[in-house]
């Protein structure tokens, strides 16, 4: 079945708020569930649906994207070594720097667009290669098929944070990934009203068991209502993502042609260094996040965000409404993001209105 059909039919379930499920007189569990942290019908439906959209074996849902990445990193703890894209979600880098070492693991950050660099970084016994493509916030594009080859040669797993692309535009399992993760807060939710995360695994494995164990024992699980909200959002996912990507391409082209803009980062632009690769490994669009740099440093970048009327000044991405943010000041003191960089999440508004708003904001 195609993704539009799966998005509508892969999972539907009324909300079950019960935290506990009655046992049979014989001690069995006729409902298939016994306690909501370990499993409930809404979470099962969501997990089945997202696994189907990604073409994976099974999915494990969490209360946030961050809880999902942390679950993956527990697989690499105690002697494991994680190699991670240097341009990545700042919270992911923080977990690898501040939490993984306490659990006995180590992490190294490399530019995953540089295959020789990745090969070297994997050399001393890496157990997991964690890649974001397109990456946050610089929209770098990494070659998933080549990285899968390098990771597997070294006996490491390849995990992909597929949040920016969504399963509509990119299917990492088809390119050799072992694990696919989403902050479902973003495109899968799509309405900026639910926080969540999910990890999909390619096949039944020790990793799947480990994730299930961490989900039930760690307890960072989504509520039945969160799962229901996400399932409500999935049917429109393909339409939303494709239209938002088309809007983003128009916004990126406008910015690239405007002399008040220093540099635009968007893989859909022909001049982007990862454009040819993105065109090969993505389909139907290049995503709906665009970053750009303006002359004048952080003060001018902040000034541009102060002048918008239609874009909302807020962090996050993937919702139906357009957001704009000065990224470095949001990431905090350890940020590696250029101080004059503005990130926009392009929504479903009419793109002419969005472009007019940015044009007005750029004009001092
Ligand atoms: C938002 C985000 C996360 C973290 O997800 P939360 O739901 O905010 O915890 C991880 N990776 C990427 C690429 C993100 O955009």
């Amino acid at each position: 079945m195609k993704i539009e059909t799966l998005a509508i039919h892969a999972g539907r379930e009324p909300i079950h708020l019960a935290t506990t499920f009655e046992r049979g007189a014989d001690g069995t569990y006729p409902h298939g569930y016994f306690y909501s942290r370990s499993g409930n019908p809404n979470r099962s439906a969501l997990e089945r649906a997202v696994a189907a959209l990604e073409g994976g074996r099974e999915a494990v849902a969490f209360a946030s994207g961050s809880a999902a990445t942390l679950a993956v990193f527990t697989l690499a703890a105690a002697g494991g070594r994680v190699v991670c894209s240097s341009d990545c979600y700042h919270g992911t880098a923080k977990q690898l720097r501040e939490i993984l070492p306490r659990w006995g693991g180590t992490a190294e950050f490399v530019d995953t667009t540089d295959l020789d660099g990745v090969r070297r970084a994997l050399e001393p016994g890496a157990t997991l290669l964690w890649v974001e493509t397109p990456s946050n916030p610089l929209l770098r594009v990494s070659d998933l098929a080549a990285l899968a080859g390098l990771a597997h040669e070294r006996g490491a797993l390849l995990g992909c944070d597929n949040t920016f692309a969504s399963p509509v535009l990119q299917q990492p399992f088809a390119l050799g990934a072992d694990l696919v993760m989403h902050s479902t807060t973003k495109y899968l939710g799509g309405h900026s009203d639910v926080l969540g995360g999910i990890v999909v695994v390619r096949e039944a494995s020790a990793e799947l068991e480990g994730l299930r164990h961490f989900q039930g024992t760690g307890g960072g699980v989504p509520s039945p209502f969160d799962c229901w909200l996400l399932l409500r959002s999935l049917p429109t996912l393909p339409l939303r993502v494709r239209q938002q990507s088309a809007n983003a391409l128009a916004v990126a082209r406008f910015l690239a042609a405007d002399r008040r803009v220093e540099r635009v980062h968007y893989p859909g632009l022909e001049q982007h260094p990862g454009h040819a690769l993105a065109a090969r490994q993505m389909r139907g669009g290049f995503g709906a996040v665009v970053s750009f740099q303006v002359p004048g440093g952080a003060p001018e970048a902040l000034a541009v965000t102060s002048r918008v009327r239609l874009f909302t000044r807020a962090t996050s991405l993937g919702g139906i409404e357009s957001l704009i943010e000065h990224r470095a000041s949001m990431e905090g003191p350890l940020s590696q993001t250029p101080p004059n960089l503005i990130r926009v999440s392009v929504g479903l508004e009419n793109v002419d209105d969005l472009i007019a708003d940015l044009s007005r904001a750029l004009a001092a």
Side-chain angles (χ1 to χ4, degrees):
M1 259 188 282
K2 299 278 199 284
I3 198 159
E4 297 79 5
T5 313
L6 283 174
I8 291 174
H9 292 282
R12 269 293 147 107
E13 189 69 37
I15 305 182
H16 300 259
L17 293 174
T19 52
T20 190
F21 300 86
E22 192 174 21
R23 278 177 96 160
D26 58 356
T28 60
Y29 296 94
H31 305 287
Y33 299 95
F34 66 98
Y35 185 63
S36 195
R37 168 160 45 76
S38 306
N40 62 68
N42 296 102
R43 200 168 85 207
S44 299
L46 174 67
E47 292 176 339
R48 275 197 304 274
V50 177
L53 294 183
E54 283 291 359
R57 163 88 188 204
E58 225 174 280
V60 187
F62 293 92
S64 68
S66 302
T69 48
L70 194 63
V72 171
F73 298 151
T74 64
L75 301 173
R81 217 168 69 78
V82 179
V83 174
C84 177
S85 299
S86 48
D87 190 54
C88 70
Y89 177 64
H90 70 121
T92 299
K94 211 166 167 190
Q95 290 183 345
L96 290 173
R97 279 199 216 98
E98 297 174 15
I99 297 181
L100 187 68
R102 287 198 224 163
W103 289 348
T106 55
E108 179 172 343
F109 297 88
V110 290
D111 176 358
T112 46
T113 68
D114 167 16
L115 296 177
D116 287 330
V118 173
R119 191 178 286 113
R120 281 194 299 276
L122 287 172
E123 206 57 78
T127 44
L128 172 69
L129 175 58
W130 189 251
V131 178
E132 255 185 58
T133 180
S135 66
N136 183 6
L138 291 175
L139 287 309
R140 293 207 174 125
V141 180
S142 296
D143 187 336
L144 288 172
L147 292 171
L150 290 180
H152 296 158
E153 258 170 42
R154 299 287 179 284
L157 296 171
L158 175 65
C160 177
D161 182 335
N162 204 27
T163 300
F164 269 38
S166 91
V168 178
L169 305 181
Q170 181 168 274
Q171 303 242 295
F173 289 131
L175 300 164
D178 303 288
L179 302 163
V180 174
M181 169 265 167
H182 287 278
S183 165
T184 53
T185 314
K186 314 295 170 51
Y187 292 99
L188 272 62
H191 297 73
S192 308
D193 58 7
V194 58
L195 192 73
I198 203 157
V199 186
V200 193
V201 291
R202 197 236 275 276
E203 56 197 21
S205 55
E207 287 73 39
L208 175 59
E209 309 263 299
L211 291 167
R212 277 278 172 237
H213 177 260
F214 190 73
Q215 180 192 44
T217 309
V221 294
S223 72
F225 185 52
D226 292 346
C227 298
W228 182 88
L229 278 172
L230 283 166
L231 280 170
R232 168 223 52 180
S233 296
L234 292 185
T236 56
L237 178 72
L239 279 177
R240 284 187 281 110
V241 166
R242 288 192 193 117
Q243 185 60 46
Q244 287 178 245
S245 297
N247 285 357
L249 180 59
V251 165
R253 286 197 172 131
F254 156 75
L255 292 168
D258 195 300
R259 279 195 275 129
R260 295 167 296 177
V261 174
E262 197 175 272
R263 194 164 168 204
V264 184
H265 305 268
Y266 185 69
L269 294 175
E270 290 73 15
Q271 61 268 35
H272 184 283
H275 175 70
L277 172 58
R280 262 202 326 273
Q281 78 180 4
M282 300 175 78
R283 43 132 211 244
F286 298 89
V289 177
V290 181
S291 292
F292 62 102
Q293 292 169 254
V294 291
E300 181 49 24
L302 277 160
V304 170
T305 67
S306 76
R307 290 190 290 258
V308 294
R309 293 186 202 156
L310 195 53
F311 279 81
T312 301
R313 273 181 301 281
T315 192
S316 199
L317 57 114
I320 49 179
E321 71 290 293
S322 293
L323 306 180
I324 189 165
E325 72 170 329
H326 176 246
R327 190 66 193 159
S329 54
M330 194 273 150
E331 290 182 345
L334 286 179
S335 171
Q336 316 250 319
T337 299
N340 62 344
L341 184 134
I342 296 168
R343 193 186 78 180
V344 295
S345 170
V346 180
L348 281 177
E349 299 91 340
N350 185 289
V351 74
D352 296 337
D353 293 332
L354 294 175
I355 289 173
D357 194 36
L358 288 175
S359 186
R360 188 189 316 112
L362 284 165

